[in-house]
Amino acid sequence: MDEAAEEPTLVQMLAVSAVKSRYLSLSPSFQRCSLASWIKENIKKKECCFYVEDGREGICKCGHPKIQHCDEAIKPEDYMGEQWDRHRHVREVPTDAFGDISFGGLGQKTGKYVRVSSDTSCESLYQLMTEHWKLRSPNLLISVTGGAKNFYIKTHLKDKFRRGLIKVAQTTGAWILTGGTHAGVMKHVGMAVRDYTLSSGLMEGQIVVIGVAPWGVIHNRNALIHPEGCFPAYYSLDEQGQGHLSCLDINHTHFLLVDDGTHGHYGVEIELRARLEKLISQQSLGNRESGVTIPVVCVVLDGGPGTLNTIYNAMLNHTPCVVLEGSGRLADVIAQVAALPVSKVTLVLINQLMKRFFVQEYKSFTEVQVIEWTKKIQDIIRMPHLLTVFHIDEDKNYDVDVAILQALLKASRSDEHARRQSWERQLELAVAWNRVDIAESEIFTEESQWTSCDLHPAMFSALVGDKPEFVRLLLENGVCVRKFLEHEDTLCELYAHLPACFFLRKLAKRVQGGKIRRGQEPPPGSTKISLSHVAEEVRHLLGSFTQPLYEPSRYKMTKDDVRLMVPSKGLVDLPCSGEEWSADTVWDPGRDLFLWAVVQNNTELAEIGWEQCRDCIAAALAASKILRKLAQESGEDDSEEAKEMRELASHYEKQAIGVFSECHSWDMQRAQKLLIRVSPSWGRSTCLWLALEADAKSFIAHSGVQALLTQIWCGELSVDNPHWKVLLCMIFFPLIYTGFLTFRRDEDIQRQAERTEQQKLAMDSVFSGSSDTKLKRHYRLVELQFYHDFDGPGFRRKAKMYISDVWNILDVLSIILFIAGLVCRLQASGTVFYVGKVILCIDFIIFCLRLMAIFTISRTLGPKIIIVRKMMMDLFFFMFLLSIWVVAYGVAKQGILIHNEDRLNWIIRGAVYEPYLIIFGNVPTNIDNTQYDVGSCSVNGSDPLKPKCPVLNEDNIPAFPEWLTIIMLCVYLLFANILLLNLLIAIFNYTFQEIQDNTDTIWKFQRYELIKEYHSRPALPPPFILLSHLILFIRGVLLRYPPQKHKHFRQELEQTEEEELLSWEAYMKDNYLASTRQDESQSVEHRIQDTAEKVGVMSELLEREQEMVSTTVAKRLAKLEEQVSESTKALRWIVDALKSQGCKSKMQPPLMTGKSSDRDDGESSGQETDEESAPHTFARQLQYPGSTVKRFPVPEEKVPWEVNFTPYLPPVYNQQDSSDSDTSVLDKYRNPGGRTGIRGKGSLKSLGPNHILHPILTRWRDAEHKVLEFLAVWEEAEKHWALPGGPVKANEPLAQTLERILGKKLHDKTKSQIEAGEQVCKGYVDDSRNTDNAWIETTIITLHCDKHTTLTADLNRIVESSLSSHQPLQWREVSSTACVCPYQREALHQIAQCHNTHF
């Protein structure tokens, strides 16, 4: 399956997001029920099912009291007469402890917990954490191990550990795995999380700390038990009453409480924790299937025997370990010997170090335990690529986080066979961790040579993961954006991985809507996001005046874009819906990267993308337009996303102004050419038009843009002509020919004329010929050049643009009213004649208002017109608020005063008109009896010219409550006249001040619109403009000339000139960015921050220097005392030897350490042992392969048989025949390599040497002889490829042995050559199957086959035919990963050396 088929489709993304949103929208109670149901089905606990007292009354051997056992366990019928066994008499039942845990105290810390069986599937636990606990998959797993009891740690080391652990977890998105209890190293991890939570101000920290603790040792665990789960369970920390149990650490976020059915037993969680770590280490890192798995690192503080086993097993599983020197006990023992050769790490030295660091606890160690410690520590030191010691007294000023990440990189770098793959894995890890500092210091070094293609996966991960610092680092180290986006699939995949944003939602609607409009089933894979969808959406955001940025699959024109006149007979229609149309799109990778970042509103990535753009001014203006359009269409003006979009749009408008200012200061002519140059990268638009569409008033107001507008306005006239000269020449036009006015330089006019002539010649050449093909080609050319220009859009767009201007609306309205009034005045009826007069009067008002447009050209009055327009909008909305008070008071007053008024006009006057006049001081007289005049009103409302009188009493005096109407009037005047009118004044004042502050900008922006409008109109004023329209009609309809396009706002450049201009613009952009960075570095804020950082570094250096000096002096004094003591012992031994006259002294000669281990004395930290002279190591592995038998630990110094080793008591193991255990028989055979820690035959067939013959056939894969291959056979039992070989029987001829090993067919082809083949090696080999009494001796014969011989062809046919057999053959590359067996790997290494090829 190809990559395109594996890419996530849009439908899949929408489905996943819908499921997630649906789940998140569920009620908490439903989520708890769902979690409880899943846990009951998948998570179990353990309980004892056979009660047997352990000698204490009422206590079972499982440790639990009798009352906690069920009746079936107390009176069992199945286990009567049996001894209690932990494996047999413990059963699994559904767990009863899970949910949320609340610790109370400061911040009300909460976490999640679950009680799990020790045999629980790790897959279920990982599913619980990622799917139900909603933890994101980690980019790193940090397993912290060490002392389980409280121990002392130096303050400086403690600070470095806590700070570094939190930093690495926060920056990499790591999980921290600990023992989970409130003691020892777990407590230190919890305190680190607490410090981070308090310092960051977050009650719910982002650090994931998972505690894997034994359920049976948790104090107060009954508070966590509930069959349906606790949400939450309240847990109290009681250290004083815990006794031999342990409390949970309150600063952990998640707990896995491992239950094996016992009580009070520590260490039951170790096996499950190891399996869980292994499972996590096998999960893929990140979202992409890159083959890189989640890395695991073990951090060691303090520690005892259990910690040593943990470290040993972890390193055997290729897990790197970081040991903190100075944390105590085991960590210090390993730190002291880590830099020594293995031969120097002896029993005596380990004894001394254990006695020094374990103090009182040392007395409890037996001799065999010390021997085992020595053996394991030697094996640990033998893997230096997996061991990192963090020294607090080193000169490097870094925290533990750097040591952790360096340890992981060092481990991944140890694979010498795949150097390039190793570097790429390190880079993937660094990107996943988002640690630019580690990448700079450890990966992008002089020895690593990177090509752009090597960095593309990391570049993709950094872009998708929103890691701008890494993106910048990768660009600095060789990533070429052009090569990175060379394939369209890469850009499509970037859009497929867009984060949740408004643009993605719009894109989804467009894809779905496109399917609905087509009305047919889409073909497979068509629902995936394609660049045509992106192009359509971006064109919608930029405006229909642009062309699609990416070539669409099918472009449909609208009916408004109907036809274009050409100088030939007839009209050329635009392409219809069934006709394909493709624009000349331009591939611009810098633009593509910038656009991808802009549409998701990513500030930092967009800035990096903009720096990669060549057409940077157009790119910045286009981004401003897109972002403002997105903010407008989001529908939530006050939302945080919309505000960020507007801020980013303003930022890029400033960037465009900055680059254009730099260009204008260097070359005005080139800068003006940038404004009107057609940009192929941005839909063949221009910077000027993009600025207008983006409402970039500040850009339009720039002096360089205004100079261009002035030049366009003046035409061929010089802009330096005084106004009075121009006015005078308008009256006396013959003065133009006298030189009274100055014109632009003749060379400019000549150059423009030549350019116009060339364009005319190009147009003539297009129309030479009468075939339909040439006609269509001409149409396409004209369309591409002028179709989306503001001079020539479709009718609908022209109409929308025309109506969008208020002055045009007034024009249309005045013309319509004039026509209507004129028609009415021509009628004979007097009434209609008068109506016409009224209409013309109103039309006169509109004509007068239209005259205000003349003042927009004025620098003083132009902004005032904008102020009036803005105030009219404010007044319009203010009237809604005012109308509430007017209607409220008017209706109430009318209802109180007047009874049953049935005249509608007087109702409106009383309820609306009169209250409105009161605002302007017209106080009514009918609400006060003292001013009441019965003659001013009609009692019955019979007089149509008088209002109806108020309700009268018997004395003809108004009966309304005078006190109420006066109070109502006072309140109304208070709110309407004082409050609301002053509010209106304040609103006007704010509007005026806002416009006044930007007067110059607004006027310049209006000036552009005015110049553009009048430049596109005929020159003659009304009514002579009719002549201009008549001429245009004759040219267009009768003569059929092409329409004249105004090219002052739009200019096509030749390719050479285009490249030169873009290169110059890019250079100016670099200058602008450099000056911007310089200004930022010289700012006061930056200087203060820089000074503060330097002071902090200096204070830390001084503090560390003081501690380092004291530590170094103490170490040197201790070393001096040790040397004096050793010298004293040596002298005493010499004296005793002399006294005994050559006899052996009673005392053992002391170990003389002639070299100090102090790193300050210049000791090398590398391994100095000679591996060739070291005794066998694989034969001394503690675990014998294929069994549960453990070897007796044999330190390196005790391997030779000649060395006395009294405690040596190895077990006897015979896999096939257990009867061969007679000591006298075994003593006849001794391994020539020395002790192995086990006696017997082991898994070998016989005692003594077991001879194996390996015939190796090799060939060259390529003609250049760079890749050497060997013939390998598949070992079904071991599941790996190996060298062909087999045991050699006694007295068997070589030919028969080879035939038995290779098979008859293969042997017949090679017998003549292989019997005379070269013998590579013969003798004893270091193998993990060796014992003290049985070992392997090999003979390796090699035969090289020429590629062009018949033998090689026959071998290839045999290999192909063997693929279907039970033991297939295959040609494999000679490399360090070809074989698992160490001695076979060494044999291949020797063969590679013989052929001078890499291994």
mmCIF file of all heavy atoms in Angstrom, residues 638-658:
data_model
loop_
_atom_site.group_PDB
_atom_site.id
_atom_site.type_symbol
_atom_site.label_atom_id
_atom_site.label_comp_id
_atom_site.label_asym_id
_atom_site.label_seq_id
_atom_site.Cartn_x
_atom_site.Cartn_y
_atom_site.Cartn_z
ATOM 1 N N ASP A 638 -15.441 38.752 19.757
ATOM 2 C CA ASP A 638 -14.764 38.891 21.035
ATOM 3 C C ASP A 638 -14.038 37.614 21.451
ATOM 4 O O ASP A 638 -13.494 37.555 22.556
ATOM 5 C CB ASP A 638 -15.782 39.269 22.127
ATOM 6 C CG ASP A 638 -16.407 40.629 21.862
ATOM 7 O OD1 ASP A 638 -15.735 41.457 21.221
ATOM 8 O OD2 ASP A 638 -17.566 40.848 22.285
ATOM 9 N N SER A 639 -14.054 36.599 20.607
ATOM 10 C CA SER A 639 -13.384 35.356 20.969
ATOM 11 C C SER A 639 -11.870 35.547 20.952
ATOM 12 O O SER A 639 -11.329 36.429 20.277
ATOM 13 C CB SER A 639 -13.781 34.231 20.019
ATOM 14 O OG SER A 639 -13.306 34.504 18.716
ATOM 15 N N GLU A 640 -11.217 34.692 21.702
ATOM 16 C CA GLU A 640 -9.766 34.796 21.808
ATOM 17 C C GLU A 640 -9.106 34.512 20.456
ATOM 18 O O GLU A 640 -8.125 35.155 20.086
ATOM 19 C CB GLU A 640 -9.295 33.792 22.858
ATOM 20 C CG GLU A 640 -7.993 34.140 23.533
ATOM 21 C CD GLU A 640 -8.003 35.465 24.260
ATOM 22 O OE1 GLU A 640 -9.020 35.809 24.892
ATOM 23 O OE2 GLU A 640 -6.983 36.166 24.171
ATOM 24 N N GLU A 641 -9.644 33.566 19.719
ATOM 25 C CA GLU A 641 -9.070 33.216 18.415
ATOM 26 C C GLU A 641 -9.182 34.373 17.435
ATOM 27 O O GLU A 641 -8.229 34.682 16.702
ATOM 28 C CB GLU A 641 -9.777 31.981 17.860
ATOM 29 C CG GLU A 641 -9.154 31.433 16.583
ATOM 30 C CD GLU A 641 -9.863 30.189 16.082
ATOM 31 O OE1 GLU A 641 -10.955 29.879 16.612
ATOM 32 O OE2 GLU A 641 -9.343 29.533 15.174
ATOM 33 N N ALA A 642 -10.344 35.055 17.425
ATOM 34 C CA ALA A 642 -10.521 36.191 16.517
ATOM 35 C C ALA A 642 -9.576 37.332 16.886
ATOM 36 O O ALA A 642 -9.016 37.996 16.002
ATOM 37 C CB ALA A 642 -11.974 36.657 16.554
ATOM 38 N N LYS A 643 -9.406 37.575 18.179
ATOM 39 C CA LYS A 643 -8.482 38.642 18.598
ATOM 40 C C LYS A 643 -7.056 38.323 18.169
ATOM 41 O O LYS A 643 -6.320 39.201 17.701
ATOM 42 C CB LYS A 643 -8.554 38.808 20.115
ATOM 43 C CG LYS A 643 -9.861 39.418 20.621
ATOM 44 C CD LYS A 643 -9.844 39.555 22.127
ATOM 45 C CE LYS A 643 -11.156 40.165 22.644
ATOM 46 N NZ LYS A 643 -11.175 40.251 24.110
ATOM 47 N N GLU A 644 -6.659 37.060 18.324
ATOM 48 C CA GLU A 644 -5.306 36.685 17.912
ATOM 49 C C GLU A 644 -5.129 36.832 16.409
ATOM 50 O O GLU A 644 -4.059 37.235 15.940
ATOM 51 C CB GLU A 644 -5.034 35.243 18.338
ATOM 52 C CG GLU A 644 -4.923 35.058 19.845
ATOM 53 C CD GLU A 644 -4.753 33.597 20.225
ATOM 54 O OE1 GLU A 644 -4.790 32.755 19.309
ATOM 55 O OE2 GLU A 644 -4.598 33.306 21.421
ATOM 56 N N MET A 645 -6.173 36.517 15.642
ATOM 57 C CA MET A 645 -6.083 36.681 14.190
ATOM 58 C C MET A 645 -5.896 38.150 13.820
ATOM 59 O O MET A 645 -5.079 38.483 12.954
ATOM 60 C CB MET A 645 -7.345 36.126 13.529
ATOM 61 C CG MET A 645 -7.451 34.614 13.536
ATOM 62 S SD MET A 645 -8.985 34.058 12.764
ATOM 63 C CE MET A 645 -8.875 32.291 13.026
ATOM 64 N N ARG A 646 -6.652 39.024 14.460
ATOM 65 C CA ARG A 646 -6.521 40.456 14.143
ATOM 66 C C ARG A 646 -5.157 40.985 14.553
ATOM 67 O O ARG A 646 -4.553 41.797 13.844
ATOM 68 C CB ARG A 646 -7.627 41.239 14.851
ATOM 69 C CG ARG A 646 -9.019 40.954 14.306
ATOM 70 C CD ARG A 646 -10.040 41.943 14.855
ATOM 71 N NE ARG A 646 -11.375 41.621 14.382
ATOM 72 C CZ ARG A 646 -12.233 40.836 15.004
ATOM 73 N NH1 ARG A 646 -11.894 40.292 16.174
ATOM 74 N NH2 ARG A 646 -13.427 40.580 14.509
ATOM 75 N N GLU A 647 -4.662 40.539 15.681
ATOM 76 C CA GLU A 647 -3.328 40.971 16.106
ATOM 77 C C GLU A 647 -2.261 40.497 15.129
ATOM 78 O O GLU A 647 -1.336 41.250 14.790
ATOM 79 C CB GLU A 647 -3.040 40.436 17.516
ATOM 80 C CG GLU A 647 -3.880 41.083 18.601
ATOM 81 C CD GLU A 647 -3.623 40.460 19.960
ATOM 82 O OE1 GLU A 647 -2.800 39.520 20.020
ATOM 83 O OE2 GLU A 647 -4.244 40.893 20.948
ATOM 84 N N LEU A 648 -2.382 39.263 14.685
ATOM 85 C CA LEU A 648 -1.400 38.752 13.724
ATOM 86 C C LEU A 648 -1.521 39.464 12.385
ATOM 87 O O LEU A 648 -0.517 39.726 11.709
ATOM 88 C CB LEU A 648 -1.596 37.245 13.548
ATOM 89 C CG LEU A 648 -0.511 36.498 12.759
ATOM 90 C CD1 LEU A 648 0.854 36.686 13.409
ATOM 91 C CD2 LEU A 648 -0.842 35.011 12.655
ATOM 92 N N ALA A 649 -2.748 39.812 11.993
ATOM 93 C CA ALA A 649 -2.941 40.567 10.750
ATOM 94 C C ALA A 649 -2.274 41.940 10.854
ATOM 95 O O ALA A 649 -1.609 42.392 9.909
ATOM 96 C CB ALA A 649 -4.436 40.719 10.462
ATOM 97 N N SER A 650 -2.430 42.614 11.975
ATOM 98 C CA SER A 650 -1.764 43.913 12.170
ATOM 99 C C SER A 650 -0.254 43.761 12.170
ATOM 100 O O SER A 650 0.468 44.628 11.653
ATOM 101 C CB SER A 650 -2.234 44.531 13.489
ATOM 102 O OG SER A 650 -3.632 44.700 13.498
ATOM 103 N N HIS A 651 0.226 42.648 12.731
ATOM 104 C CA HIS A 651 1.671 42.418 12.757
ATOM 105 C C HIS A 651 2.231 42.319 11.341
ATOM 106 O O HIS A 651 3.279 42.924 11.032
ATOM 107 C CB HIS A 651 1.972 41.143 13.539
ATOM 108 C CG HIS A 651 3.370 40.646 13.378
ATOM 109 N ND1 HIS A 651 4.457 41.262 13.973
ATOM 110 C CD2 HIS A 651 3.883 39.588 12.680
ATOM 111 C CE1 HIS A 651 5.564 40.619 13.650
ATOM 112 N NE2 HIS A 651 5.250 39.589 12.873
ATOM 113 N N TYR A 652 1.553 41.593 10.469
ATOM 114 C CA TYR A 652 2.080 41.433 9.112
ATOM 115 C C TYR A 652 1.882 42.686 8.270
ATOM 116 O O TYR A 652 2.639 42.918 7.328
ATOM 117 C CB TYR A 652 1.464 40.208 8.452
ATOM 118 C CG TYR A 652 2.156 38.958 8.907
ATOM 119 C CD1 TYR A 652 1.526 38.059 9.755
ATOM 120 C CD2 TYR A 652 3.468 38.702 8.533
ATOM 121 C CE1 TYR A 652 2.183 36.930 10.201
ATOM 122 C CE2 TYR A 652 4.127 37.577 8.981
ATOM 123 C CZ TYR A 652 3.488 36.695 9.811
ATOM 124 O OH TYR A 652 4.155 35.593 10.263
ATOM 125 N N GLU A 653 0.896 43.480 8.611
ATOM 126 C CA GLU A 653 0.810 44.788 7.953
ATOM 127 C C GLU A 653 2.024 45.643 8.326
ATOM 128 O O GLU A 653 2.610 46.322 7.470
ATOM 129 C CB GLU A 653 -0.483 45.486 8.366
ATOM 130 C CG GLU A 653 -0.672 46.824 7.666
ATOM 131 C CD GLU A 653 -1.961 47.521 8.078
ATOM 132 O OE1 GLU A 653 -2.788 46.878 8.756
ATOM 133 O OE2 GLU A 653 -2.129 48.698 7.733
ATOM 134 N N LYS A 654 2.437 45.573 9.589
ATOM 135 C CA LYS A 654 3.638 46.310 10.016
ATOM 136 C C LYS A 654 4.895 45.742 9.339
ATOM 137 O O LYS A 654 5.807 46.489 8.983
ATOM 138 C CB LYS A 654 3.772 46.231 11.528
ATOM 139 C CG LYS A 654 2.686 46.976 12.294
ATOM 140 C CD LYS A 654 2.855 46.809 13.800
ATOM 141 C CE LYS A 654 1.749 47.519 14.560
ATOM 142 N NZ LYS A 654 1.850 47.299 16.022
ATOM 143 N N GLN A 655 4.940 44.407 9.184
ATOM 144 C CA GLN A 655 6.090 43.809 8.507
ATOM 145 C C GLN A 655 6.171 44.270 7.056
ATOM 146 O O GLN A 655 7.259 44.565 6.541
ATOM 147 C CB GLN A 655 5.985 42.279 8.558
ATOM 148 C CG GLN A 655 6.085 41.670 9.951
ATOM 149 C CD GLN A 655 7.480 41.754 10.523
ATOM 150 O OE1 GLN A 655 7.940 42.831 10.935
ATOM 151 N NE2 GLN A 655 8.176 40.634 10.571
ATOM 152 N N ALA A 656 5.018 44.334 6.389
ATOM 153 C CA ALA A 656 5.009 44.811 5.000
ATOM 154 C C ALA A 656 5.472 46.260 4.933
ATOM 155 O O ALA A 656 6.234 46.646 4.034
ATOM 156 C CB ALA A 656 3.599 44.667 4.417
ATOM 157 N N ILE A 657 5.019 47.082 5.886
ATOM 158 C CA ILE A 657 5.444 48.490 5.910
ATOM 159 C C ILE A 657 6.941 48.581 6.156
ATOM 160 O O ILE A 657 7.642 49.389 5.529
ATOM 161 C CB ILE A 657 4.652 49.247 6.990
ATOM 162 C CG1 ILE A 657 3.169 49.305 6.612
ATOM 163 C CG2 ILE A 657 5.210 50.650 7.191
ATOM 164 C CD1 ILE A 657 2.291 49.890 7.706
ATOM 165 N N GLY A 658 7.451 47.731 7.075
ATOM 166 C CA GLY A 658 8.881 47.785 7.386
ATOM 167 C C GLY A 658 9.745 47.436 6.186
ATOM 168 O O GLY A 658 10.725 48.137 5.891
#
